[in-house]
Amino acid sequence: MSMTLRDERLRTVSLWRRLLVRPEFGSLAGLLVVFGVFSLFAGSQGFLSVAGTVNYLEVAAQLGIIAVAAALLMIGGEFDLSIGSMIGLTGMIVGLSTAQYGLPLWAGILLAFVVAGLLGALNGWVVLKTGLPSFIITLASLFILRGLTVGVTLLLTNNTRVSGVEASGLSAALFQSTPLGLPISVWWWAGLGLVMNFVLLRTRFGNWIFAAGGDPQAARNVGVPVSRVKITLFVLTALSAALLATIQVLNTGSADVLRGTGKELEAIASAVIGGCLLTGGYGSVIGAMLGALMLGMVQQGLFFTGIDTNWFQVFVGGLLLAAVVLNNFLRKKAIGR
């Protein structure tokens, strides 16, 4: 009997240890707390209603689309601070090419994705070629892309906003529809998250991502194509920005040069809240999705409580700090046990 109890206790301890070391455990705990708080203080104001749920899911989805890619890149040991500027640039490419110059919408969208892919590859190539931190390279890209977007748009249109973008047919179905009452961004977010989580945890490329972020030199020594992996991840972050930009442009019918401002930091915050280490080699796609959901919930929760939404950044900073402390504590606790 005592052996049975001991075995049961050991199994319980082992289960808790496996849960504690999961990157997304802290973000899940935080999400439950945030949901509980806003349910208590804003539930009667509409937070728990169907419309309120759809609202914070849409906010979370638009952030989550880029957070998933940002998380993979961070696990691979790199950062991309140009995501926000990429959103503005690719959105303006769609707007200018279609509303200003009369290209078919599909051609404008394709052009935006091609440009994003090339710029993402360029970011990765420069990082690897120079050996400089990706933080510096992509910070420079952030300013360059934002400046080019504003300057060229003003030169061509004498305005910073382009309107009159209309979607129909397949384009509307892919980027503007609301299947089952949910915005299409939610479906893109869920689909990308599931696919990327499978890639990260169940494929050889996913193992390469962890290896490239954990110890690049050791990874190269065992045959991992580190350069190819990292460039691919930079391309993925750029394409995720183009996807979000396309969804935003087609849903609003316009493009704006400042769209996407600050999103790069929110994407990184979502990944960190979700358990990604700044040093690379550790993290979770699901955790980044939970981090994005938490931020979306906070943003809409503040609205429903009547608190000035300018306080959102204060909450983001607090959540980021709390998540890092909690994740570090849980990992040390699990390892110690």
Side-chain angles (χ1 to χ4, degrees), residues 8 37 63 109 111 123 176 180 226 230 297-298 328:
E8 186 66 29
V37 169
L63 174 58
I109 294 172
L111 178 62
N123 273 341
Q176 198 182 34
L180 301 179
V226 173
K230 294 196 174 192
M297 202 175 282
V298 168
N328 284 339

Short mmCIF file of all heavy atoms in Angstrom, two decimals, residues 8 37 63 109 111 123 176 180 226 230 297-298 328:
data_model
loop_
_atom_site.label_atom_id
_atom_site.label_comp_id
_atom_site.label_asym_id
_atom_site.label_seq_id
_atom_site.Cartn_x
_atom_site.Cartn_y
_atom_site.Cartn_z
N GLU A 8 2.27 6.87 -6.55
CA GLU A 8 1.27 7.87 -6.94
C GLU A 8 1.80 9.28 -6.69
O GLU A 8 1.62 10.19 -7.51
CB GLU A 8 -0.03 7.65 -6.16
CG GLU A 8 -1.18 8.56 -6.60
CD GLU A 8 -1.63 8.26 -8.00
OE1 GLU A 8 -1.50 7.11 -8.46
OE2 GLU A 8 -2.10 9.21 -8.68
N VAL A 37 -10.42 38.79 -13.45
CA VAL A 37 -10.52 40.19 -13.00
C VAL A 37 -11.52 40.97 -13.84
O VAL A 37 -12.41 41.66 -13.32
CB VAL A 37 -9.13 40.85 -13.03
CG1 VAL A 37 -9.25 42.37 -12.84
CG2 VAL A 37 -8.23 40.26 -11.97
N LEU A 63 -2.91 40.89 -33.29
CA LEU A 63 -1.58 40.86 -32.66
C LEU A 63 -0.98 39.47 -32.75
O LEU A 63 0.22 39.30 -33.00
CB LEU A 63 -1.69 41.31 -31.21
CG LEU A 63 -0.43 41.20 -30.35
CD1 LEU A 63 0.71 42.02 -30.97
CD2 LEU A 63 -0.71 41.67 -28.93
N ILE A 109 -1.87 42.51 -53.68
CA ILE A 109 -1.58 41.68 -52.52
C ILE A 109 -0.34 40.83 -52.75
O ILE A 109 0.53 40.71 -51.88
CB ILE A 109 -2.80 40.78 -52.19
CG1 ILE A 109 -3.98 41.64 -51.74
CG2 ILE A 109 -2.45 39.75 -51.12
CD1 ILE A 109 -5.27 40.86 -51.58
N LEU A 111 2.13 41.48 -54.76
CA LEU A 111 3.29 42.37 -54.76
C LEU A 111 3.72 42.68 -53.33
O LEU A 111 4.92 42.67 -53.01
CB LEU A 111 2.95 43.67 -55.50
CG LEU A 111 4.06 44.74 -55.54
CD1 LEU A 111 5.29 44.20 -56.28
CD2 LEU A 111 3.54 46.01 -56.22
N ASN A 123 16.92 41.33 -44.33
CA ASN A 123 17.21 41.51 -42.90
C ASN A 123 18.04 40.35 -42.36
O ASN A 123 19.06 40.54 -41.70
CB ASN A 123 15.90 41.60 -42.11
CG ASN A 123 15.35 43.01 -42.02
OD1 ASN A 123 16.06 43.98 -42.23
ND2 ASN A 123 14.08 43.12 -41.73
N GLN A 176 -11.54 39.31 -45.61
CA GLN A 176 -12.54 40.27 -45.16
C GLN A 176 -13.79 39.63 -44.57
O GLN A 176 -14.63 40.31 -44.00
CB GLN A 176 -12.93 41.18 -46.35
CG GLN A 176 -13.61 42.47 -45.97
CD GLN A 176 -14.00 43.27 -47.20
OE1 GLN A 176 -14.35 42.72 -48.25
NE2 GLN A 176 -13.93 44.58 -47.09
N LEU A 180 -18.72 31.95 -39.46
CA LEU A 180 -19.34 31.60 -38.18
C LEU A 180 -19.40 32.77 -37.22
O LEU A 180 -19.39 32.62 -36.00
CB LEU A 180 -18.60 30.43 -37.53
CG LEU A 180 -18.52 29.12 -38.33
CD1 LEU A 180 -17.73 28.07 -37.57
CD2 LEU A 180 -19.91 28.62 -38.67
N VAL A 226 22.07 26.59 -39.98
CA VAL A 226 21.65 27.69 -39.13
C VAL A 226 21.29 28.94 -39.93
O VAL A 226 20.26 29.58 -39.68
CB VAL A 226 22.76 28.01 -38.10
CG1 VAL A 226 22.42 29.28 -37.32
CG2 VAL A 226 22.94 26.84 -37.14
N LYS A 230 17.55 30.74 -39.96
CA LYS A 230 17.32 32.09 -39.47
C LYS A 230 16.76 33.00 -40.56
O LYS A 230 15.85 33.82 -40.30
CB LYS A 230 18.61 32.67 -38.88
CG LYS A 230 19.07 31.92 -37.63
CD LYS A 230 20.09 32.70 -36.82
CE LYS A 230 20.39 31.99 -35.51
NZ LYS A 230 21.15 32.80 -34.56
N MET A 297 -7.31 40.88 -24.38
CA MET A 297 -8.30 40.88 -23.30
C MET A 297 -8.13 42.12 -22.42
O MET A 297 -9.12 42.75 -22.01
CB MET A 297 -8.13 39.60 -22.48
CG MET A 297 -9.34 39.18 -21.69
SD MET A 297 -9.06 37.58 -20.89
CE MET A 297 -9.30 36.46 -22.29
N VAL A 298 -6.88 42.49 -22.12
CA VAL A 298 -6.62 43.67 -21.30
C VAL A 298 -7.09 44.93 -22.02
O VAL A 298 -7.76 45.78 -21.43
CB VAL A 298 -5.12 43.77 -20.96
CG1 VAL A 298 -4.80 45.15 -20.36
CG2 VAL A 298 -4.72 42.68 -19.99
N ASN A 328 10.60 32.67 -14.87
CA ASN A 328 11.91 32.31 -14.31
C ASN A 328 11.75 31.55 -13.00
O ASN A 328 12.45 30.57 -12.74
CB ASN A 328 12.74 33.57 -14.07
CG ASN A 328 13.31 34.13 -15.36
OD1 ASN A 328 13.44 33.42 -16.35
ND2 ASN A 328 13.65 35.41 -15.35
#
